[in-house]
C-alpha cells in the first residue's frame, strides 16, 4: 500500500469549508456565488440563515469583486435576471452599481435597455442611486454616472404613451425627474409631444397623444360612473381605479386585470362579491394563450392557490389555478432515461422566500420536484431531511397533487441528503442524472463527517460519472460540490427554466455561468 500517495479526504480538498450547519461544503468562486445570490435574491428579505441586510452587503461586495476581472458579466447577469428569471429589483441594483465601477462603465449604456424593460424602471434605477448616494442634479451635488444617464435615455425611448401614462405615478423620483436628469432626445413628433407633456401637462396634445385621457386626472372618489368609460378604454389603470374608488365589487367588476394582478388580488375579488370580476379571472386562468404569454413562474400560481385554500367560494378558482399551473409548464422538454429527484424538506427550507410571500423554499423544491417527475421518462422522487422517503407519484396526476404528496411525508428537520445516495447504492439503483433541489446546507445529524459529496463520489466510482444538477434555492455562500467537477452543474433560482437548461446541457455541456457569458446585447 502506498504510504504517501493516498487520496485526499474531502475536507482536505481545495475550497473545502463548512456551511451554516457545520457540514462539509465547498466555497463558490465569486462569480458563481454572485450568480447564485442574484437568482435567489428578493432585496432586503431575510433568509433562514442570513438577514436581508447581510445578504445585501454580500451582494455589493461580490459585484465589486467580480467586476475587476469580468466587468461585462455584471451587466449580462442583470439582463439574465430580468429577462430569464423575471426578477425586477436585483437587476436594477446590478445595473446601478456597475455604473459606478470604472471597468463596467463601457458596457453600461448598451445593456441598460435590456435591463430596464418597464416604464417605471428608469425611476427605480434613479431612486436606487439616490438612496445610496443622495440627490442628483439641481436637487443635490452628486454627479449621476454618464454611462447610466445615456443608457436610461436610450431605454426611455422604448416606451410608448400608454406605458408612460400607466407608470407615471407619484414617488420620490418621477418621470419628469428622469427627463430632467437623463435628457432622452425624442425621435418623433409623438415622442416630442409626450416628453413635453411629462414636463408640463398643460402642453397636452390630444391629437398626437390620443391614448392619454386627461379627464381621469381630476376624477374624485364620488365620480365612479364617469370613470367607467376610462376604465373600459384602458386610460385608467387598475391601480388608479382601486386607489380612487376602493376595494368594492363594482370597481373590480369594471376592471380588466393583467394576469399578475389577477393572481395577487383573487382573494379580494372573491371576498368583495364581485361576480363579474371573478368570472373574468376564471376565464383568464383557463385561457392557454394568456397563461403562456404571462411568463409567470409556476410558484406564482401555487402562491395564489395557497392564499385561497380556506376561502369560501373559491373552489372553482382553485381548479382554474391548478389548470393554469399545468399550462405554464406544458412545453418543458422530456428528460430521457432514469432521473433521481431529491427534494429538501428540512427545517431551514420552511422559511418564506420573502416577507410578503406565503411560499417557502420547500414549496419551490416540491413543486419543481413534481414538475421534474412529470417530464422525466422514468423518475424516482425522494423527500429528504433527517431521514428520507421515496414518494410514489403518478405523472398523470396534477402537479399540485403530486407536490402535496412530496410535502406530506414525515422526514424530520435535519438535512442528511447523503442518506439518499447511500440508499440507492445499497439498492443497486443506477440513474442517468440526479437533480437536487435544496438550500444546499446539508450535514449529518450523526455528527460524523458524512456528506453528500462523499456519498456521491462513492456512487460515481461504482456506476460511472453522470450529470448532477445542484439546484440552489437560497443562494448562500457555499456549495455541496467542488466547482471544478466536470459532471456537476450548479443552477440557481425558482424558474421552470432549469429544465430547459438541463436539456441544453445534455445536448452539449455548458454551465449557467458560460451561458450568461455568451449573451449578446
Amino acid at each position: 500500500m502506498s504510504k504517501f500517495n493516498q487520496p485526499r479526504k474531502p475536507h482536505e480538498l481545495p475550497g473545502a469549508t463548512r456551511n451554516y450547519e457545520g457540514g462539509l461544503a465547498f466555497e463558490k468562486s465569486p462569480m458563481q456565488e454572485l450568480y447564485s445570490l442574484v437568482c435567489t435574491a428578493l432585496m432586503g428579505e431575510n433568509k433562514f440563515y442570513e438577514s436581508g441586510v447581510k445578504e445585501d452587503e454580500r451582494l455589493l461586495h461580490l459585484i465589486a469583486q467580480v467586476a475587476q476581472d469580468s466587468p461585462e458579466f455584471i451587466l449580462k447577469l442583470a439582463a439574465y435576471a430580468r429577462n430569464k428569471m423575471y426578477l425586477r429589483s436585483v437587476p436594477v441594483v446590478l445595473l446601478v452599481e456597475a455604473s459606478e465601477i470604472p471597468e463596467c462603465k463601457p458596457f453600461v449604456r448598451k445593456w441598460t435597455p435590456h435591463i430596464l424593460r418597464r416604464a417605471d424602471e428608469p425611476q427605480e434605477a434613479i431612486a436606487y442611486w439616490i438612496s445610496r448616494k443622495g440627490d442628483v442634479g439641481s436637487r443635490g451635488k452628486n454627479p449621476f454616472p454618464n454611462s447610466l444617464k445615456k443608457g436610461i435615455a436610450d431605454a426611455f425611448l422604448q416606451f410608448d404613451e400608454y406605458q408612460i401614462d400607466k407608470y407615471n405615478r407619484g414617488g420620490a423620483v418621477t418621470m419628469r425627474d428622469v427627463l430632467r436628469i437623463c435628457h432622452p432626445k425624442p425621435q418623433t413628433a409623438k415622442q416630442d409631444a409626450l416628453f413635453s407633456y411629462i414636463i408640463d401637462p398643460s402642453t397636452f396634445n390630444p391629437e398626437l397623444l390620443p391614448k392619454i385621457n386627461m379627464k381621469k386626472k381630476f376624477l374624485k372618489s364620488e365620480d365612479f360612473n364617469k370613470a367607467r368609460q376610462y376604465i373600459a378604454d384602458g386610460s385608467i389603470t387598475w391601480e388608479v381605479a382601486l386607489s380612487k374608488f376602493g376595494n368594492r365589487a363594482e370597481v373590480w367588476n369594471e376592471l380588466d386585470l393583467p394576469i399578475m394582478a389577477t393572481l395577487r388580488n383573487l382573494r379580494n375579488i372573491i371576498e368583495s362579491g364581485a361576480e363579474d370580476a371573478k368570472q373574468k379571472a376564471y376565464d383568464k386562468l383557463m385561457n392557454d394563450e394568456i397563461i403562456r404569454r404571462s411568463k409567470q413562474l409556476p410558484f406564482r400560481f401555487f402562491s395564489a392557490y395557497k392564499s385561497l385554500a380556506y376561502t369560501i367560494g373559491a373552489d372553482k378558482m382553485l381548479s382554474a389555478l391548478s389548470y393554469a399551473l399545468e399550462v405554464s409548464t406544458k412545453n418543458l422538454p422530456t428528460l430521457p432515461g432514469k432521473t433521481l429527484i431529491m427534494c429538501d424538506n428540512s427545517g431551514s427550507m420552511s422559511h418564506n422566500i420573502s416577507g410578503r410571500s406565503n411560499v417557502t423554499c420547500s414549496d419551490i423544491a416540491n413543486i419543481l420536484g413534481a414538475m421534474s417527475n412529470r417530464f422525466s421518462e422514468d423518475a424516482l422522487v425522494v423527500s429528504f431531511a433527517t431521514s428520507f422517503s421515496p414518494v410514489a407519484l403518478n405523472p398523470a396526476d396534477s402537479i399540485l397533487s403530486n407536490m402535496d404528496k412530496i410535502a406530506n411525508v414525515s422526514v424530520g428537520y435535519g438535512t442528511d441528503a447523503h442518506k439518499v445516495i447511500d440508499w440507492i447504492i445499497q439498492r443497486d439503483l443506477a440513474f442517468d442524472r440526479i437533480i437536487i433541489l435544496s438550500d444546499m446546507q446539508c450535514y449529518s445529524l450523526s455528527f460524523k463527517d458524512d456528506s453528500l459529496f462523499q456519498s456521491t463520489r462513492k456512487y460515481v466510482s461504482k456506476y460511472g460519472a453522470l450529470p448532477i444538477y445542484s439546484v440552489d434555492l437560497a443562494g448562500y455562500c457555499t456549495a455541496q460540490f467542488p466547482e471544478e467537477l466536470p459532471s456537476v452543474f450548479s443552477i440557481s433560482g425558482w424558474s421552470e427554466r432549469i429544465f430547459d437548461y438541463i436539456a441544453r446541457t445534455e445536448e452539449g455541456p455548458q454551465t449557467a455561468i458560460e451561458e450568461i457569458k455568451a449573451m449578446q446585447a
Side-chain angles (χ1 to χ4, degrees):
M1 178 182 289
S2 172
K3 187 177 238 182
F4 302 109
N5 190 26
Q6 295 290 320
R8 280 186 291 187
K9 295 179 180 178
H11 66 269
E12 297 172 336
L13 291 170
T17 185
R18 297 286 171 183
N19 58 29
Y20 281 111
E21 288 289 355
L24 176 68
F26 295 89
E27 294 174 347
K28 297 176 181 176
S29 68
M31 188 176 285
Q32 182 68 45
E33 186 178 348
L34 178 61
Y35 154 73
S36 298
L37 181 55
V38 163
C39 289
T40 57
L42 295 173
M43 300 300 299
E45 296 287 352
N46 294 333
K47 292 182 177 177
F48 187 85
Y49 293 104
E50 196 171 58
S51 71
V53 171
K54 182 179 178 182
E55 182 181 78
D56 291 353
E57 289 173 352
R58 183 157 64 94
L59 176 64
L60 298 181
H61 172 74
L62 287 167
I63 291 171
Q65 189 176 5
V66 172
Q68 298 310 304
D69 296 322
S70 305
E72 192 173 8
F73 180 81
I74 306 299
L75 285 309
K76 290 183 176 183
L77 178 58
Y80 177 88
R82 180 66 182 88
N83 298 295
K84 301 288 188 181
M85 306 304 290
Y86 309 130
L87 300 173
R88 287 191 177 146
S89 296
V90 73
V92 167
V93 173
L94 289 166
L95 171 64
V96 176
E97 292 294 334
S99 72
E100 250 202 305
I101 300 172
E103 291 82 358
C104 295
K105 286 180 183 289
F107 309 105
V108 168
R109 181 175 184 177
K110 77 171 181 177
W111 282 102
T112 300
H114 299 277
I115 299 165
L116 305 181
R117 304 302 302 272
R118 209 171 75 170
D120 58 339
E121 289 173 344
Q123 294 160 258
E124 282 287 291
I126 295 172
Y128 175 75
W129 171 271
I130 291 172
S131 73
R132 296 265 288 141
K133 301 294 180 182
D135 280 327
V136 298
S138 60
R139 296 182 184 176
K141 298 179 181 179
N142 297 293
F144 196 67
N146 197 48
S147 59
L148 184 57
K149 185 185 297 184
K150 290 179 178 179
I152 291 176
D154 294 343
F156 205 79
L157 296 176
Q158 300 176 125
F159 309 125
D160 62 21
E161 64 195 283
Y162 174 78
Q163 294 167 301
I164 293 290
D165 198 41
K166 178 177 180 178
Y167 293 106
N168 192 8
R169 308 166 182 157
V173 177
T174 64
M175 283 192 179
R176 183 178 180 184
D177 292 326
V178 175
L179 296 182
R180 176 178 60 84
I181 294 167
C182 300
H183 308 293
K185 295 180 180 179
Q187 306 295 303
T188 64
K190 175 173 275 196
Q191 282 185 341
D192 189 43
L194 182 59
F195 293 176
S196 296
Y197 161 72
I198 293 170
I199 295 169
D200 180 3
S202 69
T203 66
F204 173 65
N205 185 328
E207 293 183 2
L208 287 175
L209 305 174
K211 294 181 182 177
I212 295 178
N213 194 319
M214 288 295 287
K215 294 179 182 178
K216 71 179 183 182
K217 309 292 183 185
F218 308 104
L219 288 171
K220 298 177 182 178
S221 58
E222 60 269 21
D223 293 337
F224 181 65
N225 285 331
K226 292 181 183 177
R228 290 177 191 272
Q229 68 185 79
Y230 306 138
I231 294 172
D233 65 21
S235 59
I236 284 185
T237 65
W238 68 270
E239 298 100 327
V240 171
L242 288 172
S243 66
K244 281 184 178 290
F245 306 112
N247 181 20
R248 294 153 40 193
E250 61 178 338
V251 179
W252 288 117
N253 284 335
E254 293 293 332
L255 298 176
D256 184 17
L257 297 176
I259 192 66
M260 184 62 177
T262 298
L263 292 174
R264 287 179 173 173
N265 288 287
L266 282 175
R267 174 180 271 183
N268 288 333
I269 290 170
I270 292 170
E271 291 182 345
S272 74
E275 291 302 320
D276 291 348
K278 187 176 173 181
Q279 185 61 46
K280 282 189 280 189
Y282 177 84
D283 291 342
K284 276 190 172 67
L285 293 169
M286 297 297 290
N287 186 308
D288 291 23
E289 184 60 28
I290 289 176
I291 298 304
R292 278 195 291 267
R293 286 202 318 264
S294 74
K295 298 181 180 179
Q296 294 300 309
L297 299 180
F299 84 85
R300 300 286 187 193
F301 296 102
F302 170 70
S303 178
Y305 187 96
K306 197 172 181 180
S307 71
L308 290 184
Y310 302 104
T311 302
I312 295 173
D315 289 356
K316 184 178 175 182
M317 203 67 73
L318 290 171
S319 175
L321 285 165
S322 180
Y323 178 81
L325 174 56
E326 299 289 331
V327 171
S328 74
T329 61
K330 257 184 182 177
N331 296 322
L332 294 179
T334 298
L335 302 178
K338 296 179 180 179
T339 305
L340 173 64
I341 303 157
M342 298 169 56
C343 301
D344 185 349
N345 279 282
S346 62
S348 61
M349 292 285 286
S350 65
H351 197 264
N352 287 7
I353 61 172
S354 87
R356 293 179 296 174
S357 175
N358 59 359
V359 175
T360 66
C361 285
S362 59
D363 287 332
I364 293 176
N366 295 333
I367 202 167
L368 291 176
M371 289 164 59
S372 302
N373 178 72
R374 167 71 62 81
F375 294 100
S376 295
E377 195 172 70
D378 188 5
L380 173 64
V381 178
V382 180
S383 175
F384 72 89
T386 308
S387 60
F388 65 91
S389 177
V391 186
L393 301 181
N394 183 348
D397 288 347
S398 73
I399 289 172
L400 285 176
S401 174
N402 281 334
M403 174 195 172
D404 197 48
K405 291 176 185 175
I406 301 170
N408 288 323
V409 292
S410 180
V411 288
Y413 300 97
T415 321
D416 290 54
H418 66 278
K419 292 179 179 177
V420 179
I421 306 299
D422 294 340
W423 176 73
I424 64 171
I425 293 173
Q426 292 165 8
R427 294 285 300 273
D428 197 25
L429 300 175
F431 291 91
D432 296 295
R433 72 188 59 77
I434 297 174
I435 300 173
I436 305 164
L437 301 152
S438 172
D439 63 3
M440 301 303 160
Q441 297 301 298
C442 305
Y443 64 104
S444 172
L445 270 182
S446 66
F447 300 104
K448 296 177 181 178
D449 204 17
D450 297 321
S451 71
L452 179 60
F453 169 66
Q454 281 176 288
S455 295
T456 305
R457 190 159 67 169
K458 290 176 189 174
Y459 183 87
V460 169
S461 70
K462 182 174 181 179
Y463 296 101
L466 78 168
I468 299 168
Y469 300 98
S470 178
V471 184
D472 187 344
L473 302 177
Y476 295 121
C477 52
T478 59
Q480 284 297 293
F481 301 93
E483 197 170 319
E484 63 273 11
L485 286 184
S487 62
V488 175
F489 300 92
S490 296
I491 320 171
S492 295
W494 311 318
S495 171
E496 78 284 2
R497 287 180 176 269
I498 67 169
F499 303 109
D500 293 322
Y501 170 81
I502 290 172
R504 288 197 307 274
T505 297
E506 296 190 2
E507 290 174 0
Q510 176 179 250
T511 68
I513 298 295
E514 289 167 345
E515 182 179 357
I516 295 168
K517 285 181 176 179
M519 289 174 61
Q520 299 293 321

